[in-house]
């Protein structure tokens, strides 16, 4: 996202690109390509294939910029070309990600039910003793060395493609919910379900990491 | 509201998508349950950390090719 704020407004960007301004093209290319690469990874099986989808997208942008009508933001237009390009590749690789409705595995609790008191117990449905989330104290070292980000990056790769796509668009690329719904053609409700599941998974991975780090720091092993 | 329900509503709460009555119950629960207070806080920290990711970029070769393509296209 760094540098995204420095880009001029769309009208200026589009005019400069049409005029063949290389500096502007370099700027959008360098600002958006990494986010595009991550998004493409949701639809195809390899990094190489994702990179090709990003390249094909930019080529389509170069050829199509004169036809851009400004009905969406330039970035949304570029992302839409990317999603279509990457989807087509994914189909060839038999790796399609349909978004129309929720899958059975996308329903049900996002937190392990064993962490709550069972029904029939006193305070049923509340955190079980010793299972409640403890406040986090992430050692500064781990933050500075980027380990916490690394945990999230790895966890993102583990997510099923639909969850990864939504959380990448919302929380990595910083899109609003309406843009994501229109880009992926999903309902606001389904978008929230996918986003919530993805975030809950990432939180759990951080929790595991933080409690592990604490045990090491405090010399207390866990069974 | 109990904790089982609370943890499933966090994203809707953060999106401002909870109906008014549910939002009131959510906040009432939050005020009384330190476990859920931590859960919500950690959810926010997770979102913030995810936003700090600096993903891989395309290869220098691919970048050069695209810059040449842009140059070439405009000359046509």
């Amino acid at each position: 996202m760094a540098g995204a704020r420095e880009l001029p407004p769309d009208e200026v960007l589009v005019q400069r690109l049409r005029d063949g301004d290389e500096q502007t093209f370099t700027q959008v290319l360098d600002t958006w390509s990494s986010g595009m690469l991550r998004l493409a990874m949701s639809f195809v099986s390899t990094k190489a294939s994702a990179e090709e989808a990003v390249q094909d997208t930019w080529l389509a942008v170069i050829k199509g910029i004169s036809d851009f009508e400004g009905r969406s933001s330039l970035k949304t237009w570029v992302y839409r070309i990317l999603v279509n390009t990457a989807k087509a590749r994914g189909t060839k690789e038999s790796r399609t990600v349909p978004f129309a409705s929720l899958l059975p595995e996308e329903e049900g609790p996002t937190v392990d039910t064993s962490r709550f008191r069972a029904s029939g117990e006193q305070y049923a449905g509340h955190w079980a003793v010793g299972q409640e989330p403890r406040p986090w104290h992430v050692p500064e070292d781990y933050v500075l060395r980027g380990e916490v980000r690394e945990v999230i990056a790895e966890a993102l790769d583990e997510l099923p493609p639909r969850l990864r796509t939504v959380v990448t668009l919302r929380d990595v690329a910083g899109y609003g919910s309406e843009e994501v719904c229109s880009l992926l053609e999903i309902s606001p409700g389904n978008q929230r379900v996918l986003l919530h599941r993805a975030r809950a998974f990432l939180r759990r991975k951080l929790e595991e990491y933080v409690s592990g780090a604490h045990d090491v720091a405090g010399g207390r092993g866990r069974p | 509201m109990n904790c089982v329900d609370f943890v499933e509503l966090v994203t809707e709460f953060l999106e401002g998508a909870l109906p008014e009555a549910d939002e009131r119950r959510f906040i009432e629960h939050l005020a009384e349950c330190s476990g859920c207070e931590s859960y919500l806080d950690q959810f926010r920290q997770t979102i913030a950390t995810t936003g700090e990711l600096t993903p891989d970029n395309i290869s220098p070769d691919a970048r050069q090719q695209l810059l040449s393509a842009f140059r070439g296209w405009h000359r046509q």
Side-chain angles (χ1 to χ4, degrees), chain A:
Chain A
M1 290 274 282
R5 278 179 302 265
E6 295 150 31
L7 287 175
D10 268 8
E11 314 87 78
V12 179
L13 271 186
V14 173
Q15 193 51 54
R16 286 184 189 162
L17 290 175
R18 284 178 182 159
D19 293 343
D21 182 68
E22 269 180 58
Q23 205 190 335
T24 301
F25 182 69
T26 309
Q27 210 183 353
V28 287
L29 184 67
D30 291 344
T31 309
W32 294 346
S33 290
S34 57
M36 289 164 70
L37 197 58
R38 216 170 245 286
L39 180 56
M41 281 300 293
S42 304
F43 298 97
V44 298
S45 13
T46 64
K47 170 110 188 275
S49 186
E51 184 159 301
E52 281 168 24
V54 172
Q55 278 181 274
D56 289 349
T57 301
W58 280 118
L59 292 173
V61 168
I62 293 169
K63 287 179 192 161
I65 189 68
S66 52
D67 301 325
F68 173 70
E69 290 172 352
R71 275 183 295 195
S72 60
S73 75
L74 180 66
K75 193 175 174 189
T76 299
W77 181 69
V78 173
Y79 267 41
R80 212 169 264 149
I81 297 174
L82 175 71
V83 168
N84 289 333
T85 308
K87 259 190 201 164
R89 276 185 166 270
T91 310
K92 261 192 253 158
E93 296 166 4
S94 327
R95 193 170 177 285
T96 46
V97 186
F99 273 95
S101 55
L102 291 176
L103 301 172
E105 64 266 29
E106 286 161 359
E107 284 156 22
T110 56
V111 176
D112 187 351
T113 46
S114 68
R115 296 187 63 170
F116 302 104
R117 295 172 201 234
S119 62
E121 277 183 60
Q122 200 183 7
Y123 305 117
H126 291 260
W127 296 103
V129 177
Q131 290 294 325
E132 64 274 35
R134 306 289 173 82
W136 278 349
H137 302 289
V138 184
E140 202 181 354
D141 269 12
Y142 294 95
V143 180
L144 293 178
R145 291 205 299 263
E147 285 184 32
V148 181
R149 279 199 298 276
E150 193 52 41
V151 172
I152 295 275
E154 277 172 24
L156 270 180
D157 289 340
E158 282 177 46
L159 278 173
R162 290 154 51 104
L163 304 196
R164 186 168 64 221
T165 303
V166 173
V167 78
T168 298
L169 285 167
R170 287 297 310 277
D171 294 345
V172 183
Y175 273 91
S177 58
E178 280 179 28
E179 284 170 296
V180 173
C181 290
S182 108
L183 204 56
L184 301 177
E185 291 164 4
I186 51 176
S187 72
N190 285 2
Q191 191 257 166
R192 278 197 298 272
V193 170
L194 295 170
L195 179 62
H196 184 70
R197 298 193 79 79
R199 286 170 168 177
F201 178 81
L202 300 180
R203 193 211 69 91
R204 184 156 56 78
K205 290 289 171 179
L206 267 187
E207 181 178 55
E208 285 167 13
Y209 168 77
V210 171
S211 58
H214 273 228
D215 288 346
V216 173
R220 284 172 283 123
R222 262 200 181 181

